[in-house]
Amino acid sequence: MKPLVRQIINLLPAVLALVILPACQTMDAISEVGAAVGQGAGVLTPQQAQSVKKAGSAVGKTFDSITPEQEYYIGRTVGAVVINQYKPLANEEANHYLNVLGQTLAQFSDKPETFGGYHFLIMETEEINAFSAPGGLVFISRGMLKCCKSEDAVAAVLAHEIGHVEKQHGLQAIKKSRITSALTILAVESGKSLGGEDLAQLTEAFEGSIGDITSTMMNSGYARGFERQADQAAVTTLQRAGYDPRALVSMLTEMKKYLKPGGRDFAKTHPAPDDRIADVEKMIGAAAAVPAPVARQARFAQAVGKI
Amino acid sequence: MRQIKRWMGTVGLAALTVVSAWAAAGKMMSVQVKDAQMRDKPSFIGKVVGSLAYGDRVEVQESQGAWARVSLPGGTAGWLHTSALTSQKIALSAGKDDAKVGASGDELALAGKGFNSDIEAQFKKTHKAIDFTWVDKMEKIKIPSLEIQTFLKDGGVVPKGGAQ
Ligand SMILES: [Zn+2]
């Protein structure tokens, strides 16, 4: 006999399909009726019907049902997967510089506070890449840093990644079915600690969620609209902080020279630099250029100029 | 003079009563970050006057831009950036508000359960090759607010707005 939760998850679509309700009905009502119909039709035992009632509230829930704490745990594992695929650059000075710059920028974003805060790490690869895990773990490759000729340009890359965190683009890559199944397990099994089978299933939903995010980030890329949102967030953050948003254009222009078509890098996961440049220029408009003093260029060169 | 002082004291007390009565009617919100630092002014430059934990229910006294002055009931007030706050309730322990979890719109579903340290531990058991050492290292890097101010100043970076 299969454990209750797995039975419920399997039965849920069938039971709910028995019920035809106007589209405006809430899922709670649907599950209520679904449970009644299921029981009446002899599909469910009273115990199962009760569980369906609870589980129905999980259907239709999306990524915004994920709590900040869960986002944090998802982000930690996504970060660990990224680190496992690359190699961290063990250069304390460079990583410290990146964290000072990144945490400064985060304060000027629309979401300066996340459950565990923003943290940054350089990856030792020539590949031109940058990733952000949900909650604020941000990774930037040495290859990407080489496309940055100024502190403002590094700021532009970090601000773009902070934008993905702020807009929760990673979480939105999670398939809805995983959220439904996780919420169903928790709704049905509420009030006690999870048993072996439920824990295994929840871990399965977790693994699936991690896979959805990492494969989107590393292989398929986010939708064009999400990239535009991240660029817009970057422009806003840079302007508030006092950096030159045009550095995003300079960085993209530089990047264009090095991107290899078909490579495992930004060429694969991001829109073509020219398309982004055109969009970003529209976002910046006629804003005055921001001068960068010698001291800023000097500390940039010192910290990451020679890595 | 003493008379005046006493009188002012009474007025002050009356004013305080009015303020706290107004504050009592203020919105209750939950802290949605692991540890939140309350500051003496609505800015990250402000001095830290207290800290709050995930799930703490706070009362909003006033707000200014993206900042809110909050306090635990009867506790010290301080300014928090509103991204650290949610109007939803966060139930921390399993079993506590279970009946409501998922059923009510203003309750964060999956509260305190779901993808947590237990699940991370399960994940680690089956994915031994995936090392969390650097993730833990990253999380320890917290740049003090004074260092951020110095960094901006030394680099000639002049903020134009935002949370600061
Ligand atoms: Zn992006």
Side-chain angles (χ1 to χ4, degrees):
Chain A
M1 168 114 177
K2 280 191 285 179
L4 182 63
V5 174
R6 203 178 279 276
Q7 286 178 57
I8 300 302
I9 292 175
N10 294 339
L11 280 170
L12 208 49
V15 174
L16 296 181
L18 290 172
V19 193
I20 301 153
L21 285 172
C24 63
Q25 285 279 9
T26 68
M27 282 319 298
D28 283 346
I30 294 175
S31 62
E32 189 92 30
V33 178
V37 171
Q39 204 185 336
V43 183
L44 301 175
T45 67
Q47 188 202 9
Q48 288 170 332
Q50 182 57 30
S51 296
V52 165
K53 212 169 101 181
K54 285 189 191 168
S57 62
V59 179
K61 287 265 163 67
T62 56
F63 76 96
D64 52 18
S65 309
I66 296 169
T67 66
E69 188 184 18
Q70 287 145 14
E71 180 179 25
Y72 163 80
Y73 279 105
I74 290 169
R76 275 177 57 84
T77 300
V78 168
V81 170
V82 170
I83 292 167
N84 189 56
Q85 298 251 334
Y86 297 90
K87 199 180 140 200
L89 183 80
N91 178 333
E92 212 165 304
E93 188 191 5
N95 281 319
H96 184 79
Y97 173 76
L98 207 70
N99 276 278
V100 179
L101 178 57
Q103 294 187 18
T104 299
L105 287 164
Q107 289 195 350
F108 293 95
S109 73
D110 280 347
K111 196 174 189 174
E113 304 267 19
T114 66
F115 186 87
Y118 292 84
H119 308 280
F120 303 79
L121 184 66
I122 303 169
M123 300 175 298
E124 192 169 358
T125 168
E126 293 310 308
E127 194 182 307
I128 299 169
N129 235 328
F131 303 112
S132 53
L137 299 180
V138 176
F139 305 88
I140 176 170
S141 72
R142 180 159 62 187
M144 176 66 96
L145 277 173
K146 283 184 177 168
C147 298
C148 300
K149 302 298 176 198
S150 67
E151 180 170 303
D152 293 56
V154 181
V157 175
L158 300 185
H160 175 94
E161 294 306 318
I162 291 168
H164 281 309
V165 175
E166 184 186 308
K167 308 278 181 229
Q168 296 186 303
H169 291 155
L171 290 189
Q172 293 181 63
I174 299 174
K175 290 196 182 81
K176 248 179 93 176
S177 60
R178 315 227 195 258
I179 296 169
T180 305
S181 112
L183 287 168
T184 305
I185 294 162
L186 296 168
V188 176
E189 295 302 312
S190 65
K192 55 180 165 123
S193 54
L194 293 174
E197 171 70 15
D198 294 329
L199 191 61
Q201 267 199 276
L202 200 56
T203 307
E204 203 178 295
F206 181 73
E207 283 169 340
S209 303
I210 303 300
D212 291 344
I213 297 170
T214 53
S215 71
T216 303
M217 262 177 16
M218 296 183 181
N219 301 317
S220 53
Y222 293 124
R224 181 75 186 88
F226 280 9
E227 292 306 335
R228 200 176 287 124
Q229 281 179 21
D231 278 337
Q232 179 63 69
V235 168
T236 303
T237 299
L238 291 167
Q239 281 176 330
R240 284 178 187 162
Y243 282 104
D244 191 351
R246 282 194 181 76
L248 181 51
V249 174
S250 321
M251 187 281 296
L252 288 167
T253 309
E254 197 62 28
M255 185 204 274
K256 211 170 71 173
K257 295 187 205 162
Y258 304 108
L259 278 183
K260 293 182 202 81
R264 184 182 81 149
D265 56 13
F266 253 44
K268 193 172 169 186
T269 56
H270 279 72
D274 280 336
D275 294 352
R276 287 178 64 193
I277 290 171
D279 277 349
V280 169
E281 272 173 343
K282 265 181 246 155
M283 293 168 195
I284 299 170
V290 184
V294 181
R296 195 190 302 173
Q297 192 60 22
R299 72 181 177 193
F300 156 79
Q302 164 73 24
V304 293
K306 290 190 285 282
I307 60 161
Chain B
M1 191 61 201
R2 183 166 288 173
Q3 278 296 324
I4 294 173
K5 249 191 186 160
R6 190 171 295 156
W7 178 79
M8 280 179 64
T10 314
V11 173
L13 196 69
L16 202 70
T17 312
V18 171
V19 168
S20 47
W22 171 80
K27 196 176 176 188
M28 294 300 289
M29 295 188 92
S30 307
V31 174
Q32 60 170 351
V33 300
K34 197 169 13 178
D35 51 295
Q37 316 269 286
M38 288 191 289
R39 299 182 183 272
D40 68 349
K41 53 182 173 183
S43 161
F44 286 111
I45 304 169
K47 211 169 67 192
V48 175
V49 294
S51 59
L52 296 163
Y54 186 64
D56 276 353
R57 291 288 282 168
V58 292
E59 197 172 43
V60 176
Q61 319 280 349
E62 60 176 308
S63 62
Q64 196 177 305
W67 291 78
R69 202 168 74 91
V70 302
S71 71
L72 288 170
T76 325
W79 291 92
L80 270 190
H81 190 273
T82 49
S83 58
L85 295 167
T86 173
S87 34
Q88 292 172 306
K89 265 187 204 152
I90 299 174
L92 289 176
S93 52
K96 206 169 142 202
D97 280 323
D98 277 326
K100 277 181 259 162
V101 171
S104 132
D106 82 336
E107 195 95 6
L108 277 187
L110 276 173
K113 299 181 288 178
F115 300 160
N116 55 19
S117 53
D118 292 348
I119 300 296
E120 186 182 294
Q122 283 297 116
F123 181 89
K124 283 172 173 167
K125 259 189 227 164
T126 47
H127 300 82
K128 292 215 164 68
I130 297 178
D131 189 359
F132 281 68
T133 311
W134 273 92
V135 168
D136 294 335
K137 265 191 209 175
M138 283 175 86
E139 282 184 4
K140 289 203 184 79
I141 308 173
K142 280 181 194 137
I143 309 300
S145 146
L146 190 66
E147 191 175 345
I148 288 181
Q149 293 319 307
T150 311
F151 180 79
L152 287 168
K153 196 163 154 270
D154 291 352
V157 186
V158 186
K160 305 279 184 294
Q164 286 233 338

